[in-house]
Amino acid sequence: MAIPSPDHRNYAAVSMEEGDLMKVALPVLEPPSAQARAMAGFGSLLLDAALAGLLLFMVVDRTAPPQDLPWKPFSLNQPIGLATSGKLARIAADPARCKAALAAGKVAFTETPAKRDGFCSTLDSGRVGGGALSPAGPVMTCKEALAFTLWNRQVLRPAARDILGAEVAAIDHYGTYACRRVYGQSSGRISEHAHANAFDFAGVRLRDGRRVTVAAHFSDEGPRGRFLRAARDGACKVFRVTLSPDYNAAHHDHLHLDMGPFRTCR
């Protein structure tokens, strides 16, 4: 039997015929490089971060209000939250989803025939019932109706209860659809009213008999003025454009609220 001489390599003894041994060299594992150790540490950190992120997501998903979470369904019965504007924009861009959201919120929206008159149109529009509107049943685009209902439920009526201590009996307005350019000029930019995509809010009548109007009370330091300014500030979180008497003299008697392509809050 041959006895292997010692050296620096590793060997394994393998049984052979007649009891002989054969030396078989085993591979020598090199220690990991500093770069490999760093990559392994980085991968471990990424895994820990992913697990922590998943846990945080689960906690937020279970505990945060749905109006603050972009992935939660939109509802007209939810207060305005961090994600409301984004949800509203996505739904407003899809007429089918918009009508479904109105139906889910039990809003009477009777579609009207689409018509075109020069630069004016009433596409994706309908008459909005309920809401104690005066005049009743104005024609609005679906997205304008959706924004108006959200503002009415989550801004206007709560502000009346909190600031004026009364319920809203009727909402006065100066109309929605009007085939005209901005300020009724003969040239220039087309008004959102020309597409039934704007609402001119004039004021409210309360169940206790009081009347509050933008023309008479917007600048008041008392409760009526605070209520109207709260209504304006809340509208800025819902509509794309909100214009008040603070904007210019043309809006001295109403709040202009529209869902057009621009964004302004004044």
Side-chain angles (χ1 to χ4, degrees):
M1 176 172 55
I3 301 175
S5 58
D7 59 26
H8 68 283
R9 293 176 296 172
N10 295 325
Y11 294 93
V14 180
S15 296
M16 303 292 291
E17 292 182 359
E18 300 179 355
D20 288 340
L21 295 177
M22 180 181 72
K23 294 191 298 182
V24 177
L26 296 177
V28 178
L29 297 177
E30 297 291 337
S33 66
Q35 182 180 11
R37 289 196 299 272
M39 290 297 294
F42 181 66
S44 178
L45 286 176
L46 285 179
L47 179 59
D48 289 344
L51 291 174
L54 178 60
L55 179 60
L56 178 61
F57 173 83
M58 293 174 63
V59 171
V60 170
D61 185 66
R62 289 174 178 268
T63 61
Q67 61 268 22
D68 291 342
L69 303 177
W71 58 87
K72 293 286 188 177
F74 171 85
S75 172
L76 287 167
N77 296 321
Q78 293 171 356
I80 296 171
L82 299 175
T84 301
S85 179
K87 293 180 185 181
L88 185 62
R90 289 193 297 273
I91 295 173
D94 184 339
R97 290 184 66 191
C98 179
K99 292 167 190 172
L102 286 174
K106 302 187 184 306
V107 179
F109 184 75
T110 305
E111 293 185 55
T112 53
K115 65 178 182 179
R116 291 184 180 276
D117 181 10
F119 56 76
C120 302
S121 67
T122 58
L123 304 178
D124 296 319
S125 297
R127 292 195 177 275
V128 180
L133 288 164
S134 180
V139 175
M140 302 185 202
T141 60
C142 183
K143 58 186 175 182
E144 182 72 11
L146 191 66
F148 167 78
T149 303
L150 181 65
W151 174 72
N152 180 26
R153 290 185 184 181
Q154 305 301 334
V155 176
L156 190 70
R157 292 178 182 275
R161 287 191 292 268
D162 294 343
I163 300 173
L164 300 174
E167 295 291 335
V168 172
I171 298 171
D172 295 321
H173 67 93
Y174 292 139
T176 54
Y177 176 72
C179 185
R180 62 176 176 80
R181 298 180 186 274
V182 173
Y183 303 130
Q185 296 177 340
S186 58
S187 62
R189 187 159 55 89
I190 297 170
S191 170
E192 287 301 313
H193 285 288
H195 305 302
N197 201 33
F199 179 85
D200 284 347
F201 168 79
V204 297
R205 282 171 276 166
L206 305 174
R207 288 185 182 173
D208 62 11
R210 285 179 292 170
R211 188 173 183 181
V212 184
T213 67
V214 175
H217 304 114
F218 186 82
S219 299
D220 279 4
E221 294 301 322
R224 294 184 189 191
R226 293 200 306 272
F227 160 73
L228 290 169
R229 291 189 293 275
R232 185 270 312 274
D233 295 345
C236 291
K237 299 177 182 179
V238 176
F239 295 91
R240 297 284 296 175
V241 170
T242 299
L243 302 177
S244 73
D246 285 342
Y247 180 56
N248 61 15
H251 295 84
H252 73 280
D253 61 353
H254 68 279
L255 304 182
H256 170 94
L257 313 171
D258 80 47
M259 288 294 284
F262 305 104
R263 182 173 288 279
T264 305
C265 172
R266 293 286 296 275

